[in-house]
Amino acid sequence: MKILKINKKNFKKVVKTILRLIKEGKVVVCPTDTVYGLICDAVNKKAVAKVFKIKKRESKKPLPIFVKDLKMANKFAKINKRQKTFLKSVWPGRVTAVLERKKTKIKLYGIAKKTIALRIPKYELLLSLAKQLNRPLTGTSANISGKPASTKIQEVVSQFNGQRYQPDLIIDADNLKPSKPSTVIDLTDKKLKILRK
């Protein structure tokens, strides 16, 4: 489990490293606009399986997905006019939207059968990764299931230290601003339903 500091000076270099690892099917802990997250290629079956092992997460519990823009979201979810207007008002940002899934040639792993939870983060590092990879990424918090998600780098590192399954790389951006994971809103019904504040 390597730890790599990120700052303005080495930003591009670190992005290149993360891109290479994600293409190789590795799992990386990245800072986000909310809490530290576990990022991997959502199209890579082995990488997604590793995320579940690292988190000790039940396989029945689907993962949220980061996308680069509405166009990409539209590839994987059915989005009507009303939903699109709402999503434009909250994305990029701290809102994960649960939408009805589309049948696509590109198979995503770790998601529900009928729905998909999507988010466009408001965070330069993640948007840079999503745009350059042009692929959906897992967007789940970097913690072991049942333990709290964290904005503090030491808390994240200590959760995975000594564990059988660990992330391949941790990107250390120091402590993030205090935050909770994103708000999750179910848009599959006619009424908006908040699943997590």
Side-chain angles (χ1 to χ4, degrees), residues 32-46:
T32 78
D33 50 346
T34 55
V35 295
Y36 272 93
L38 281 171
I39 311 296
C40 81
D41 180 356
V43 181
N44 187 316
K45 193 178 182 179
K46 277 188 179 176

Side-chain angles (χ1 to χ4, degrees), residues 57-69:
R57 187 181 178 103
E58 288 176 42
S59 56
K60 290 174 190 171
K61 214 176 167 194
L63 296 173
I65 302 291
F66 284 140
V67 287
K68 64 172 186 170
D69 53 25

